[in-house]
């Protein structure tokens, strides 16, 4: 697995987990809420990946 593939897999894993958490915490799923949740999850996933890279140096 190349470094780029590993980063993409990590990003996808974080995004999936955060979207699932978002869906569990909201009461009703509307299109706008889904878009906002997916976008916020992407920002969170990028931050998590950046934080891990900053800590491990890789």
């Amino acid at each position: 697995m190349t470094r780029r593939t590993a980063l993409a897999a990590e990003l996808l894993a974080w995004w999936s987990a955060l979207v699932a958490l978002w869906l569990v915490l909201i009461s009703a799923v509307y299109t706008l809420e889904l878009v906002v949740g997916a976008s916020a999850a992407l920002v969170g996933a990028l931050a998590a990946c950046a934080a891990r890279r900053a800590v491990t140096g890789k």
Side-chain angles (χ1 to χ4, degrees), residues 13-56:
W14 273 110
W15 181 81
S16 299
L18 292 172
V19 166
L21 179 63
W22 178 275
L23 290 172
V24 167
L25 294 177
I26 62 174
S27 59
V29 181
Y30 297 109
T31 305
L32 181 59
E33 286 184 341
L34 187 59
V35 169
V36 170
S39 300
L42 181 60
V43 171
L46 288 170
C49 289
R52 187 198 55 82
R53 289 180 67 191
V55 169
T56 62

